[in-house]
Amino acid sequence: MDTISEHQTLESLQKHRGLSSTEVIERRRQYGENSLPAEKSASAWAILLAQLKSPLVYIILAAAGVSLVVGEYGDLALSWP
């Protein structure tokens, strides 16, 4: 089994410090910039409409409506002055 010493390993790693400037330019030309496309942010209306897709929202709204009809305002989580 061939093993190398710690000193040899560190020496080998220190020789390779990354790409040279010419290699960077060549790879950018070949592959393009190393960046992710910017994400499109969602509007407030899109977020609200996405929340309405959940059936749990309808259950909570129905429960709030029933609480309002029967006069249980404490369950509506409203703070009255």
Side-chain angles (χ1 to χ4, degrees):
M1 174 188 288
D2 286 338
T3 59
I4 59 174
S5 70
E6 180 181 341
H7 176 71
Q8 289 171 326
T9 303
L10 290 174
E11 189 175 293
S12 171
L13 290 174
Q14 289 176 356
K15 288 179 183 176
H16 304 289
R17 296 210 181 248
L19 301 175
S20 68
S21 297
T22 55
E23 286 176 310
V24 169
I25 292 169
E26 175 62 30
R27 288 186 185 200
R28 280 186 182 163
R29 188 177 56 74
Q30 185 177 2
Y31 300 111
E33 291 290 324
N34 185 17
S35 63
L36 296 173
E39 288 188 23
K40 187 177 176 184
S41 62
S43 69
W45 287 109
I47 293 170
L48 177 66
L49 291 175
Q51 294 296 319
L52 294 176
K53 291 180 182 178
S54 172
L56 184 59
V57 172
Y58 297 113
I59 294 169
I60 292 171
L61 289 174
V66 170
S67 294
L68 182 65
V69 169
V70 297
E72 289 291 329
Y73 301 115
D75 290 342
L76 290 176
L78 296 175
S79 58
W80 296 97

